[in-house]
Amino acid sequence: MKFTFKSIIMFFVLGLLFSFMNVNATPDNGAITGKVIDKETQEPLPGVNVIVEHTSVGAATDKDGVYVISNVPTGEWHLVVSMMGYKRKHQVINVQPDETLTINFELETTILEMGAVVVTGTSTPHLVEDVPVRTEVIPRRLIEQKQACNLAEALSFHTGIRVENNCQNCNFSQVRILGLDGKYSQILIDGDPVVSSLASVYGLEHFPEEMVDQIEIVKGGGSSLYGAGAVAGVVNMITRRPIVNQVRIKYQNNSTGGKLDQHVGAVAETVFREGISGAYVFGSFRNRNPYDHNDDGFSELGELRNESMGFKWYYQPFTNSEVTASFHRIHEERRGGNKLERPVHEAEIAEWIEHWRSGGTFRWSHRPASLFDYRFFYSFSFENRKSYYGGLGGDTPQDQLDALKFYGKTDNPLQIAGFQSNYRVTNHLLTAGLQYTHDKITDKTAAETAYYLDELYTNTGIFFQDDLHFGSEEQVEIVVGARLDKHSELNNWIFSPRINGKFDIGKEFALRAAYTSGFKPPQTYDEDLHLCGIEGDQRIIRNSAELKEERSHSISGGLEYLGYLKNMATMFSLTAFYTKLTDSFTEQFVAKQGVIERWERVNSDGADVKGIELDLGIRPLNKFEIRTGFTYKKSQYDSPHADFGTRNFFRTPDLSGNIRFSMVTRKDIDIYLHGNYIGKMDVPHEVVVEGADDPELRLIKSDQFFQIDLGLTYKIPLNDGLNLKINVGIKNLLNAYQKDLDVGPDRDPAYVYGPSRPRTLHFGIESAF
């Protein structure tokens, strides 16, 4: 039987109408209102989440700390109040028909990441400490503390997560989750997978910090919710929702060896008509000068210019409904290599890329009954790129003509539409939905047809999930779900199941366990759209004709503690994980033909990743917090690599870790210290041999690195609500940086590892009013 997108849409529309007719909507529901304040300062807290537990019913406090929840089902419920960095509070309530309860709360501070409401693990709201799918959070305050200017920098210094530079010329970067390559991770924007293969090549640096309010990370296979690509895990970039009337203007300056990297950003948000509508607007500009670390005339950090703007708007036309629209426009130009003052085709080595990205989302959410809600969404990203990967191979007129062949143009329109509904039945929260993806990619160069790509990938996914909780105090919660995907490159539907469980032992300990699955179809990936150049030659990767999908199966389990030891807020978690890849992708060298060095993506026997993660956090004083964590793992293929003779994953250290100190010495001064340890790893190295057609392939054991960032922020309150923040600091204080960088036009640009930049001084100033 052949399924089409139109028939599936009709099926779910009929299902939606059926739900409207059958949902047990009681007209005599109640309401809850109240105010939330800080227990120590007695000041109102805006943005606090107040949720009726195990439902989608809830609200956030406004700028005065006031919340209102309407259409609350009658009966006895647990009301949960939480905010990032504050200890959650529970209260048992009894809602009567047509009754409005007034319940006020005072919250106490705790570990920074606690109290956050997350959605990535289950696609429904949960407290981060309660969600059965282990979810890690990078909050807005931590992003600001790092002085991160984009998503890539915001993701750094996190247990089990590593952002690495993969090109000495253009500084193409990727995020590794538990050691797996970037292509195994799914990047989401507000829960939608709109970061395509082309966008992910440089996308981590495209998205400015002004877009980001919170980052949620779920490790392990996520294809049961998010479809193809979510093998190692998902990174969900949550954009800011306007909650106050505020304008913020920021200037940040980084200096690496005297070369400046400057960032200017501005945001404005407003809320009006008692929270019925609100808007958030941002703009960002970044300019980075090129940096040559070893004085060979070739850049280690290329020149970069980024301009971004966008908005997010919401409107609630009637009770329990909301329309949300967002849009962003990003333009970035970057170039690395040598002779940067000349046209790119006159350089010995040049990697020049200019991107235009337009993206956005339209979403309709509605809760027509107290136990039922649904949403529709349409998201898009239109990515256009001009590029040059190559350079002069000699000084003859023919060499100069050949250098013109390396100009390229890439277009990648991506569109996603979907539907999701949630329905509570006794102690079950049932979730179902569909998602359709249309991903078109065209990649061409001026003359060489070997690079051409002209592909259309479509995927239809249908998913179902049951979030079940039970026990005398609802201490057991289990999530069972599955998804069916039909990808255009595959003949059969792919079935991706999962099961996650959480068992509370008392009020402070919890056990979590999970089985998850994922898959990757045989399509174009980020590294296929980045061409490394060596002495005017180019390395390209294409799929083997026999390439089939890669599958993953992940198991994890762990113990967590969140409580107080002698009045000291304490967090501890120990997690063991194992991921088995079958038919895993790997690349093998084929041949060199003229200026083209051909590599091919093939299926290997398989691979596995296994290890443990430890996280520890304490807050010995109200204004002082310590967090640390490490990951120890073994990542190996079942068979040795054909060209390098090793089973180890490349660029994947067995041991990595981080530590963070944060202290507010008084109300206006914030001091932080971040440390990051990167262990030794295997790094492939291509060495040009004079007179030989093919490069020599070597496997190098890298150094280990310990990077320390140190900074201070001083807040100066001025009059009439005007505030000024000044920050100073040093990134990579110990100057932990690669010592054996390749030099000259023969260098292997992919032979880079370790911290992405050497010692860097930074200074910034920010005004908010």
Side-chain angles (χ1 to χ4, degrees), residues 461-506:
I462 306 172
F463 61 90
F464 176 81
Q465 175 181 280
D466 182 8
D467 187 343
L468 168 67
H469 57 276
F470 56 91
S472 58
E473 298 182 358
E474 297 186 342
Q475 67 268 36
V476 180
E477 187 167 1
I478 296 175
V479 174
V480 179
R483 173 165 165 151
L484 282 169
D485 281 277
K486 179 61 180 71
H487 193 277
S488 57
E489 295 298 295
L490 300 173
N491 294 324
N492 300 316
W493 289 74
I494 298 293
F495 177 67
S496 303
R498 76 158 177 180
I499 181 169
N500 302 78
K502 176 175 177 286
F503 175 58
D504 292 328
I505 307 173

Side-chain angles (χ1 to χ4, degrees), residues 386-665:
K386 293 181 179 179
S387 61
Y388 184 91
Y389 293 97
L392 283 170
D395 297 326
T396 68
Q398 185 60 47
D399 291 329
Q400 294 173 357
L401 288 174
D402 289 342
L404 296 173
K405 298 178 180 180
F406 299 129
Y407 284 98
K409 187 176 186 300
T410 312
D411 297 302
N412 184 199
L414 169 66
Q415 301 177 77
I416 301 174
F419 164 82
Q420 179 179 319
S421 64
N422 303 299
Y423 182 31
R424 180 185 168 95
V425 183
T426 61
N427 59 338
H428 298 261
L429 180 59
L430 305 178
T431 299
L434 72 85
Q435 186 183 89
Y436 176 78
T437 303
H438 186 278
D439 187 0
K440 172 72 173 175
I441 185 163
T442 305
D443 187 34
K444 295 183 179 181
T445 60
E448 182 52 70
T449 58
Y451 307 138
Y452 282 18
L453 283 171
D454 188 1
E455 303 287 351
L456 171 62
Y457 303 114
T458 61
N459 188 80
T460 300
I462 306 172
F463 61 90
F464 176 81
Q465 175 181 280
D466 182 8
D467 187 343
L468 168 67
H469 57 276
F470 56 91
S472 58
E473 298 182 358
E474 297 186 342
Q475 67 268 36
V476 180
E477 187 167 1
I478 296 175
V479 174
V480 179
R483 173 165 165 151
L484 282 169
D485 281 277
K486 179 61 180 71
H487 193 277
S488 57
E489 295 298 295
L490 300 173
N491 294 324
N492 300 316
W493 289 74
I494 298 293
F495 177 67
S496 303
R498 76 158 177 180
I499 181 169
N500 302 78
K502 176 175 177 286
F503 175 58
D504 292 328
I505 307 173
K507 296 185 179 298
E508 297 177 332
F509 286 94
L511 291 172
R512 296 179 195 266
Y515 162 76
T516 58
S517 58
F519 79 98
K520 290 192 69 62
Q523 66 176 61
T524 298
Y525 291 103
D526 51 5
E527 62 264 44
D528 307 349
L529 301 166
H530 168 260
L531 305 177
C532 282
I534 304 177
E535 201 183 23
D537 296 340
Q538 290 189 332
R539 169 183 172 175
I540 64 171
I541 303 172
R542 292 296 180 260
N543 291 338
S544 165
E546 291 78 31
L547 188 68
K548 55 186 178 181
E549 78 272 10
E550 180 176 6
R551 301 299 302 268
S552 73
H553 303 275
S554 300
I555 300 173
S556 64
L559 173 68
E560 298 179 9
Y561 172 83
L562 178 62
Y564 286 81
L565 299 176
K566 295 185 178 180
N567 297 321
M568 180 174 66
T570 304
M571 185 278 292
F572 167 85
S573 71
L574 179 64
T575 304
F577 57 89
Y578 175 79
T579 296
K580 178 63 179 177
L581 302 175
T582 58
D583 297 315
S584 56
F585 295 162
T586 188
E587 289 86 39
Q588 65 182 21
F589 180 69
V590 178
K592 183 179 176 183
Q593 299 172 333
V595 297
I596 301 173
E597 185 182 304
R598 294 180 177 273
W599 290 67
E600 193 171 61
R601 180 178 294 109
V602 297
N603 294 110
S604 68
D605 294 338
D608 59 54
V609 179
K610 53 193 172 187
I612 57 172
E613 268 193 343
L614 173 68
D615 274 296
L616 174 65
I618 58 172
R619 198 178 181 95
L621 302 173
N622 189 36
K623 301 296 184 180
F624 181 54
E625 182 175 317
I626 304 173
R627 289 294 303 271
T628 186
F630 77 84
T631 303
Y632 178 78
K633 62 185 178 300
K634 296 295 292 184
S635 307
Q636 293 185 317
Y637 294 104
D638 292 346
S639 300
H641 193 283
D643 296 305
F644 294 96
T646 180
R647 292 177 54 209
N648 294 334
F649 283 18
F650 297 147
R651 305 176 183 277
T652 304
D654 291 343
L655 182 64
S656 60
N658 64 86
I659 189 168
R660 183 178 84 232
F661 297 89
S662 177
M663 179 172 60
V664 180
T665 59

Side-chain angles (χ1 to χ4, degrees), residues 126-138:
H126 281 77
L127 275 177
V128 66
E129 52 264 48
D130 290 342
V131 64
V133 180
R134 187 168 187 261
T135 305
E136 299 169 42
V137 177
I138 301 176

Side-chain angles (χ1 to χ4, degrees), residues 38 40 85-87 107-111 564 569 619 622-623:
D38 185 295
E40 181 182 0
Y86 285 86
K87 185 180 179 181
L107 298 186
E108 301 176 76
T109 58
T110 186
I111 300 294
Y564 286 81
R619 198 178 181 95
N622 189 36
K623 301 296 184 180

Side-chain angles (χ1 to χ4, degrees), residues 721-752:
L722 178 65
N723 292 305
L724 195 67
K725 286 183 181 179
I726 299 175
N727 70 78
V728 294
I730 304 176
K731 298 180 179 180
N732 200 350
L733 176 66
L734 302 180
N735 203 29
Y737 198 63
Q738 182 178 349
K739 297 177 181 178
D740 63 338
L741 289 163
D742 270 3
V743 298
D746 294 346
R747 69 182 187 177
D748 177 3
Y751 183 61
V752 287

Side-chain angles (χ1 to χ4, degrees), residues 251-264:
Y251 168 77
Q252 190 72 28
N253 186 9
N254 296 277
S255 176
T256 306
K259 302 299 183 180
L260 302 184
D261 183 353
Q262 301 177 88
H263 173 217
V264 178

